[in-house]
Amino acid sequence: MTGSIIFDPLLPIWLIAALGGMALAGVALALNRGLSGWALRGLAGIVVLAALMGPALQREERADLSDIVIVVEDASASQQLATRAEDTASAAETLSARIAARDNTEVRRVTVQDGAENSGTQMMTALAEALAEEPQGRIAGIFMLSDGRLHDIERAPNLPAPLHLLHTGRTGDWDRRLIVENAPAFAILGEEIILSLRVDDSGDAPSVTTVPLDISVDGEPPQRFEVPVNEEINLPLTLPHGGRNVLQFTTPMAEGELTDRNNSALIQINGVRDRLSVLLVSGEPHAGGRTWRNLLKSDSSVDLVHFTILRPPEKQDGVPVRELSLIAFPTRELFLEKIDDFDLIIFDRYKRRGILPSLYLDNVRNYVEQGGAVLINAGPDFASADSLYRSPLEAIVPARPTARVIEEGYRPTISELGARHPVTAGLEQMHAGEWGRWMRQIDLDEVTGDVLMSGAEERPLLVLDRVGEGRVALLASDHAWLWNRGFEGGGPQLELLRRLAHWMMKEPELEEEALWAEATGQQMRVIRRTLEEGAGDVTITTPLGDEVILPMEEVSPGRYEALYDGPVIGLYRLANGEQTAVIGLGPAAPVEFEQTMASADVLAPLIAGTNGGARAIEDGVPTIRAVREGRPAAGSTWMGIAPRGAYRTASVTQTDLLPAWLVLALISALVLGGWLREGRR
């Protein structure tokens, strides 16, 4: 039971103060006039003012509440290294027992697991939640058992009691870490890029100057190099192919280091072409002559060289050459000296006119067989005696003209094979309404390539073929421009020609036989594209070496997909027949293993701000002492808690110190006494 005096004024304080001033003025006047009862009158005024303040004696019946000490145990991935988990569990039991043995003290134990989506140790988040569940006035201390490597220090709550850290570091701990300091997401094919790496040793590491570094590209057998330790390494690199390039850097685990989970770095760089060089040769001006030019000029990634033959050799009108403004066709330079500089050569309604000798056309054939690409946009001349087919190019052209030109309206259609090929797949869903008609087609037979589109009389219209290392496409009509003009509603001319040109230039996203995966967190979407019926199962090899057979489901013609949740972070290998691919899920080194050496540095400001302390568990579990708030709470062998003296009020009673009857009696007595004293004079 405790008691205290409280006041409950009957009038506003300012009014009571005013009345007090008036009473004081009256007493002063009485004293000035020599009235002998001034003292008794003053006492009467004091009694009135005291009564107006409403004094009362308040008695509280209290029940003492226990102090609460929070013990936070780190059970994240980095705490599973060496003997940290066992050390933490043993120390937590001993510490909790010592705290619970103290009078009027309770223990709240909180366990912290790994955060979601590789967010690391969320210890401050867990502590804030634990504090929110307890009255702040009862928290006497906070103990953390951890390696000190938490990843949400910015979420630290206001701490009402001393914070202490018992860290799991041991004498002799050391670790080696591979760090990628600079790696671009994209790189231009053929151009050298510089990757910056570091191999850092921390802790009580052995004295070495170099360590082995294995470098693997797309899961191929690695190459080994010796690199310096604790120094930045600038590694020159040229990407081997377009699309995604997966590079893995690994330094082998050394004896005695804490873990090898941070000894690898996985980098995925997309290889892109700087400029795609295209040579466009137009045999003569025609209504659709600017179709290809406009398409290729609108693509910022294409460097176009365009020649239109306006003055063939047979045109002799007597005009002196010096008076012509035409540019001579540099045939030798283009078709002999610099032909390999082009990614694609387009012949738009070109026919043999003596401009390109057979030697040059034979060089074009050789260019294709060695990896180049030729696209023939055929007009009526392709069916004539001057056709390009009747030249050394016959060996690579995927179909033979029959000399018949079909002059009638027809609507191009996608073939069954074309519905599966990436060049034409999905085109039928594009462009609102029915496709407009084309009015001319060159009849073809002896087709050796893939027919993706058909036209009049269901004859081949678009034929693609692979020749040697290169590619050839034949479009058996020069009327694609009708779609561009919107004739009868038009059609997907721009998308068709764009895809066709980029397939010719071997863009990875348009390969008809391909296997790849797209990652979202720890889940991958495996995608297989093929022209065959059925894709079969995909074999996935995990970073642990386990093999998983994944059935594929057809989602659209020629496209098969499946979802797979990777069990661990790392490099996965995919195989389906002759198609292979690799993909990395998550970082090669999770955030939990970026820093593995136990340290109090991250928590040091919070510990200092609460007068707490930090020590290693291997030095022993400290004894527990009570300290006053604001005093140092840690010593060489002990750590302190600050008892809060919290209580619960069971009941409250109030007794007026100046009840009305007593006030009336006192005032009456004092006023009467003053009157009698003054009357005697």
Side-chain angles (χ1 to χ4, degrees):
M1 179 76 72
T2 60
S4 60
I5 296 176
I6 63 172
F7 295 91
D8 184 16
L10 302 178
L11 296 175
I13 295 296
W14 66 268
L15 184 55
I16 296 176
L19 293 175
M22 294 173 61
L24 182 61
V27 171
L29 181 60
L31 182 62
N32 183 57
R33 292 187 176 184
L35 298 177
S36 58
W38 66 270
L40 296 175
R41 293 176 184 275
L43 289 175
I46 292 174
V47 171
V48 172
L49 295 174
L52 292 175
M53 289 297 295
L57 176 63
Q58 179 173 287
R59 294 183 177 88
E60 296 181 355
E61 186 175 344
R62 298 177 177 177
D64 291 336
L65 297 177
S66 61
D67 293 319
I68 296 175
V69 178
I70 298 178
V71 177
V72 184
E73 302 170 52
D74 183 357
S76 61
S78 61
Q79 278 286 92
Q80 309 308 311
L81 301 177
T83 61
R84 291 180 178 181
E86 295 81 358
D87 294 346
T88 299
S90 176
E93 291 295 334
T94 303
L95 181 66
S96 298
R98 291 182 181 179
I99 295 172
R102 298 184 60 84
D103 292 338
N104 201 39
T105 306
E106 297 182 43
V107 179
R108 301 284 191 271
R109 295 178 65 171
V110 178
T111 301
V112 181
Q113 303 291 341
D114 284 343
E117 298 181 357
N118 195 37
S119 58
T121 304
Q122 302 293 300
M123 186 167 283
M124 284 301 159
T125 301
L127 176 59
E129 293 173 353
L131 289 175
E133 295 178 358
E134 306 293 346
Q136 298 293 291
R138 295 177 60 188
I139 305 298
I142 303 167
F143 290 83
M144 289 189 167
L145 287 76
S146 168
D147 56 8
R149 297 298 184 179
L150 61 159
H151 303 94
D152 63 343
I153 190 65
E154 71 282 354
R155 298 181 183 175
N158 292 325
L159 302 179
L163 171 66
H164 304 288
L165 172 65
L166 298 178
H167 68 76
T168 52
R170 285 184 171 271
T171 303
D173 282 352
W174 75 279
D175 193 32
R176 177 167 292 156
R177 177 187 175 199
L178 179 61
I179 309 167
V180 178
E181 297 184 335
N182 177 39
F186 297 88
I188 297 174
L189 293 178
E191 292 190 7
E192 187 176 84
I193 59 174
I194 302 296
L195 298 181
S196 298
L197 309 176
R198 284 182 64 90
V199 179
D200 280 352
D201 283 353
S202 56
D204 192 12
S207 179
V208 295
T209 56
T210 63
V211 295
L213 177 66
D214 294 334
I215 304 177
S216 173
V217 179
D218 292 336
E220 295 295 324
Q223 292 180 293
R224 174 162 290 190
F225 304 89
E226 287 291 324
V227 298
V229 180
N230 299 323
E231 293 183 17
E232 183 174 297
I233 308 162
N234 291 322
L235 180 67
L237 176 70
T238 302
L239 296 185
H241 59 80
R244 183 172 59 206
N245 294 258
V246 181
L247 289 76
Q248 187 173 30
F249 303 89
T250 304
T251 181
M253 185 175 183
E255 182 179 357
E257 69 170 309
L258 285 174
T259 180
D260 63 348
R261 290 295 301 275
N262 53 8
N263 287 26
S264 293
L266 195 65
I267 303 171
Q268 302 185 75
I269 305 176
N270 281 326
V272 297
R273 297 176 185 267
D274 181 20
R275 303 282 288 178
L276 299 171
S277 296
V278 179
L279 173 60
L280 173 60
V281 181
S282 298
E284 61 183 16
H286 63 99
R290 299 189 64 84
T291 298
W292 284 104
R293 176 181 176 85
N294 291 342
L295 168 70
L296 297 170
K297 291 294 287 185
S298 66
D299 192 335
S300 60
S301 65
V302 171
D303 189 6
L304 176 66
V305 177
H306 182 199
F307 284 93
T308 300
I309 300 173
L310 300 176
R311 188 177 177 84
E314 70 271 12
K315 185 175 183 180
Q316 299 294 335
D317 53 11
V319 178
V321 174
R322 64 178 180 273
E323 296 181 11
L324 296 175
S325 61
L326 301 178
I327 299 174
F329 193 5
T331 54
R332 177 179 178 82
E333 182 181 9
L334 293 177
F335 291 95
L336 284 183
E337 299 175 3
K338 294 188 176 182
I339 189 171
D340 292 332
D341 294 340
F342 293 104
D343 299 291
L344 171 64
I345 298 175
I346 301 175
F347 290 105
D348 178 28
R349 287 192 56 168
Y350 181 85
K351 66 178 179 179
R352 294 185 300 117
R353 313 174 78 171
I355 296 177
L356 294 180
S358 295
L359 175 63
Y360 291 178
L361 293 176
D362 187 62
N363 201 38
V364 173
R365 176 195 57 78
N366 186 59
Y367 154 81
V368 171
E369 293 175 346
Q370 294 182 2
V374 166
L375 188 153
I376 299 174
N377 187 39
D381 292 329
F382 189 71
S384 68
D386 295 329
S387 171
L388 268 178
Y389 183 81
R390 308 183 194 287
S391 72
L393 295 186
E394 177 183 355
I396 63 172
V397 175
R400 182 182 69 85
T402 65
R404 176 186 173 212
V405 179
I406 304 174
E407 299 277 0
E408 64 180 51
Y410 63 92
R411 287 188 172 87
T413 58
I414 305 297
S415 67
E416 183 178 349
L417 180 63
R420 310 175 67 84
H421 199 289
V423 170
T424 49
L427 281 182
E428 60 272 12
Q429 281 83 41
M430 298 182 183
H431 202 83
E434 192 176 34
W435 291 354
R437 292 181 299 166
W438 293 1
M439 296 300 175
R440 182 159 55 211
Q441 180 176 346
I442 313 305
D443 189 28
L444 304 174
D445 64 4
E446 297 184 13
V447 177
T448 59
D450 297 328
V451 178
L452 306 189
M453 296 178 67
S454 58
E457 304 174 8
E458 297 186 358
R459 303 298 294 165
L461 178 61
L462 175 61
V463 185
L464 306 186
D465 196 12
R466 294 171 181 261
V467 180
E469 298 296 324
R471 304 183 181 193
V472 179
L474 173 59
L475 182 59
S477 176
D478 58 345
H479 276 191
W481 61 273
L482 289 174
W483 278 355
N484 188 49
R485 302 285 180 87
F487 177 69
E488 294 186 347
Q493 175 255 358
L494 180 63
E495 182 64 17
L496 171 63
L497 299 186
R498 185 195 67 81
R499 289 191 195 179
L500 183 58
H502 282 268
W503 178 84
M504 301 289 296
M505 292 182 283
K506 302 179 182 179
E507 290 298 293
E509 64 271 15
L510 289 169
E511 291 295 309
E512 57 268 42
E513 296 292 336
L515 173 67
W516 75 97
E518 299 170 351
T520 304
Q522 280 297 106
Q523 185 181 77
M524 72 171 77
R525 180 183 299 275
V526 182
I527 304 169
R528 174 74 164 100
R529 189 164 55 211
T530 178
L531 299 182
E532 303 294 333
E533 290 291 339
D537 298 334
V538 170
T539 301
I540 300 177
T541 304
T542 71
L544 303 177
D546 302 327
E547 289 192 354
V548 178
I549 305 300
L550 189 67
M552 305 292 286
E553 180 180 350
E554 188 172 20
V555 296
S556 63
R559 185 182 176 98
Y560 299 80
E561 295 184 0
L563 295 176
Y564 177 72
D565 293 315
V568 295
I569 290 172
L571 183 70
Y572 288 76
R573 303 171 187 268
L574 289 68
N576 176 264
E578 297 181 356
Q579 298 295 319
T580 60
V582 293
I583 186 173
L585 291 185
V591 67
E592 273 293 302
F593 298 100
E594 288 183 358
Q595 296 285 350
T596 56
M597 298 298 297
S599 171
D601 294 345
V602 176
L603 286 169
L606 290 179
I607 293 173
T610 60
N611 296 316
R615 61 182 291 152
I617 291 178
E618 72 170 346
D619 294 335
V621 179
T623 57
I624 306 301
R625 293 185 185 179
V627 297
R628 288 182 296 174
E629 290 189 34
R631 302 291 296 173
S636 59
T637 61
W638 62 273
M639 288 182 170
I641 60 175
R644 305 303 298 274
Y647 60 86
R648 176 176 56 84
T649 301
S651 63
V652 177
T653 58
Q654 291 183 356
T655 303
D656 290 338
L657 296 179
L658 291 174
W661 63 268
L662 180 58
V663 173
L664 181 60
L666 289 174
I667 293 175
S668 299
L670 291 171
V671 171
L672 181 60
W675 178 72
L676 291 175
R677 183 176 179 82
E678 292 171 356
R680 290 176 183 174
R681 293 185 59 187

